[in-house]
């Protein structure tokens, strides 16, 4: 494929609005494109209009399976008028391509598909199998990755690259995410006789206070550090002169491999059990979403391998780094705990989710060329 074709494909999928939905239009486009080059793919409609895509390339004589994954959804554009270039046009200005998803991460997704097509067209097939995992809903609750995991597409992977934007660096560890709610049940009475009721807000406040120091003495992760935790939404009561019978607070926690999701949940639950000993207190935990932290040992040969290839195409040695933000890998590792994961992608991570999001075209090409070599050399 020539440079113009590589850019055109990127522009085409940037022009498709797949803001928290409608990923099917993106993945159908990619399926048709691959079909034109003789690569079969399968679409899975996880929810109406939201289709994940899976495709494979390779001779299959080597039993290993390398996963290459990206998501087809983007975050919203709150105010289009603030953009210098329209967010759904894929405008190219010098070495930059602009649009919602340019960095996070339609470039990364296009790069995988183009790498597979170019290998197929050249007749240079990987000895094992290289599997594209194109997901939906990553920016919401990662249910595309969840569904592909449930269908078994991650269980047999022996290596995984997620092409989220990393400036050509390699993220080898990221925190998990735990969204939860604590519900407080009381008993309503007229506010002139509060002693006859149970104030759900007062009881919820016991947890709100406790949470501030709850994680103070949990083990610190050598790579990711302390657990980040916050209470972020609170509500309760519905009448100013009635004792509230219900109140709730929601929070977000970033578990680490050292103090992972189960440990976090156990700690919260233990605190609630303790508070529930107090007369009248009834607090309940609800886990909304639980994503695991991901960490590949820093000395894993897979990371070294991706680093070596990346050095050749990005013109610098990729730095091994950690991040707090999550990826689809949290779900893929559920059925494949020791899977080595490298998050490795194009430039301009800093513009993700921002006005005038872009990626530079040089790094987009570097990613395509890196992936082609990785797909072949991984099995060498
Ligand atoms: Zn992303």
């Amino acid at each position: 494929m020539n440079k113009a074709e590589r850019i055109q494909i990127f522009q085409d999928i940037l022009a498709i609005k797949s803001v928290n939905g409608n990923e099917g239009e993106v993945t159908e486009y990619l399926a048709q494109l691959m079909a034109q080059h003789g690569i079969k793919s399968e679409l899975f409609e996880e929810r109406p209009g939201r289709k994940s895509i899976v495709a494979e390339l390779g001779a299959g004589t080597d039993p290993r399976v390398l996963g290459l994954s990206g998501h087809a959804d983007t975050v919203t554009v709150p105010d289009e008028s603030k953009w210098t270039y329209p967010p759904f046009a894929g405008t190219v200005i010098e070495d930059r391509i602009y649009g919602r998803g340019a960095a996070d991460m339609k470039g990364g997704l296009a790069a995988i598909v183009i790498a597979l097509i170019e290998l197929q067209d050249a007749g240079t097939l990987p000895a094992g199998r290289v599997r594209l995992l194109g997901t939906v809903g990553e920016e919401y609750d990662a249910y595309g990755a969840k569904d592909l995991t449930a269908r078994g597409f991650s269980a047999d992977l022996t290596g995984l690259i997620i092409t989220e934007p990393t400036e050509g660096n390699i993220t080898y560890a990221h925190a998990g995410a735990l969204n939860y709610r604590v519900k407080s049940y009381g008993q309503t009475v007229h506010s002139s006789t509060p002693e006859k009721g149970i104030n759900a807000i007062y009881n919820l406040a016991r947890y709100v206070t406790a949470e501030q120091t709850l994680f103070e003495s949990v083990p610190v992760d050598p790579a990711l550090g302390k657990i980040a935790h916050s209470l972020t939404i609170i509500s309760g009561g519905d009448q100013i002169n009635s004792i509230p019978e219900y109140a709730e607070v929601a929070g977000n926690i970033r578990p680490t491999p050292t103090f992972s999701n189960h440990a976090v949940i156990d700690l919260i639950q233990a605190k609630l059990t303790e508070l529930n000993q107090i007369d009248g207190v009834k607090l309940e935990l609800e886990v909304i979403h639980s994503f695991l932290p991901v960490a590949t040992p820093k000395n894993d040969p897979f990371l070294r391998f991706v680093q070596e290839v990346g050095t050749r195409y990005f013109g610098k040695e990729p730095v091994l780094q950690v991040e707090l933000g999550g990826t689809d890998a949290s779900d893929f590792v559920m059925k494949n705990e020791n899977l080595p994961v490298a998050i490795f992608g194009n430039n301009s991570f800093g513009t993700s989710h921002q006005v005038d999001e872009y990626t530079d075209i040089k790094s987009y090409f570097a990613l395509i060329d890196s992936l082609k070599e990785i797909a072949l050399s991984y099995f060498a």
Side-chain angles (χ1 to χ4, degrees):
M1 227 178 252
N2 63 37
K3 287 179 174 180
E5 288 172 295
R6 285 173 164 192
I7 293 171
Q8 185 63 53
I9 290 165
F10 196 170
Q11 288 179 304
D12 287 348
I13 61 172
L14 283 172
I16 300 169
K17 276 193 195 184
S18 54
V19 173
N20 297 321
N22 192 38
E23 295 94 334
E25 237 184 277
V26 177
T27 51
E28 267 170 23
Y29 171 94
L30 296 175
Q32 276 169 22
L33 182 70
M34 286 191 285
Q36 286 162 15
H37 294 267
I39 302 174
K40 276 191 214 137
S41 60
E42 243 185 308
L43 294 168
F44 299 96
E45 190 156 14
E46 321 287 9
R47 311 214 177 154
R50 316 193 71 166
K51 296 175 188 171
S52 294
I53 184 167
V54 176
E56 277 189 10
L57 186 78
T61 50
D62 183 308
R64 288 173 290 175
V65 185
L66 175 66
L68 302 177
S69 180
H71 61 83
D73 58 314
T74 71
V75 296
T76 55
V77 176
D79 185 356
E80 284 199 30
S81 71
K82 290 196 174 143
W83 285 61
T84 314
Y85 310 103
F88 302 102
T91 307
V92 172
I93 305 285
E94 292 173 352
D95 187 47
R96 290 179 177 179
I97 181 162
Y98 289 87
R100 175 52 85 229
D104 185 9
M105 57 168 292
K106 286 180 170 172
L109 182 60
I112 296 170
V113 170
I114 291 167
L116 296 183
I117 288 173
E118 291 188 7
L119 290 173
Q120 162 86 2
D121 286 355
T124 48
L125 292 189
R129 286 180 290 153
V130 176
R131 181 179 298 154
L132 159 70
L133 299 157
T135 66
V136 302
E138 193 271 347
E139 302 284 5
Y140 181 59
D141 66 358
Y143 59 79
K146 256 186 209 88
D147 287 358
L148 291 184
T149 301
R151 291 176 196 275
F153 286 114
S154 70
D156 59 345
L157 297 179
T158 50
L160 173 65
I161 294 175
I162 297 198
T163 54
E164 291 271 7
T166 58
E167 317 291 325
N169 295 319
I170 296 168
T171 300
Y172 67 94
H174 66 69
L178 185 83
N179 294 334
Y180 73 107
R181 192 176 282 133
V182 171
K183 304 187 256 191
S184 172
Y185 297 95
Q187 195 186 329
T188 188
V189 292
H190 196 277
S191 59
S192 59
T193 56
E195 70 285 354
K196 290 184 177 159
I198 296 171
N199 190 318
I201 291 179
Y202 285 171
N203 286 340
L204 184 65
R206 297 174 197 269
Y207 177 73
V208 173
T209 303
E211 193 270 352
Q212 295 173 51
T213 53
L214 190 57
F215 300 93
E216 244 169 32
S217 54
V218 306
V220 173
D221 187 79
L224 293 164
K226 284 184 170 178
I227 298 266
H229 65 99
S230 309
L231 294 177
T232 47
I233 305 174
I234 191 164
S235 65
D238 53 12
Q239 169 75 36
I240 201 162
N241 57 354
S242 293
I243 298 304
E245 64 177 354
Y246 182 75
E248 63 175 44
V249 66
N252 173 267
I253 300 174
R254 300 288 166 160
T256 65
T258 305
F259 200 75
S260 194
N261 301 47
H262 277 297
V264 168
I265 291 169
D266 287 351
L267 185 62
I268 296 171
Q269 189 54 62
K271 177 51 75 179
L272 296 182
T273 303
E274 181 196 317
L275 293 172
N276 282 340
Q277 305 302 311
I278 301 166
D279 201 28
V281 176
K282 191 182 172 202
L283 299 171
E284 251 178 44
L285 172 64
E286 180 197 347
V287 174
I288 302 169
H289 295 304
S290 179
F291 301 117
L292 290 180
V294 171
T296 300
K298 207 177 173 181
N299 59 0
D300 192 290
F302 182 65
L303 298 177
R304 186 71 208 129
F305 162 65
V306 177
Q307 202 176 25
E308 274 169 18
V309 176
T311 303
R312 278 200 280 288
Y313 295 98
F314 279 84
K316 58 155 195 180
E317 175 161 280
V319 175
L320 293 179
Q321 62 186 20
V322 300
E323 266 176 50
L324 282 179
T327 69
D328 278 335
S330 289
D331 283 288
F332 292 138
V333 299
M334 288 269 195
K335 294 270 179 78
N336 193 338
E337 267 178 45
N338 297 315
L339 175 65
V341 181
I343 299 151
F344 170 62
N346 46 261
N347 287 356
S348 303
F349 164 73
T351 68
S352 301
H353 301 203
Q354 309 275 323
V355 166
D356 288 341
E357 180 177 350
Y358 71 88
T359 198
D360 68 65
I361 293 168
K362 194 154 35 84
S363 74
Y364 168 62
F365 289 163
L367 182 60
I368 297 172
D369 294 330
S370 299
L371 293 175
K372 285 169 70 177
E373 183 169 334
I374 286 168
L376 295 175
S377 310
Y378 178 73
F379 304 99

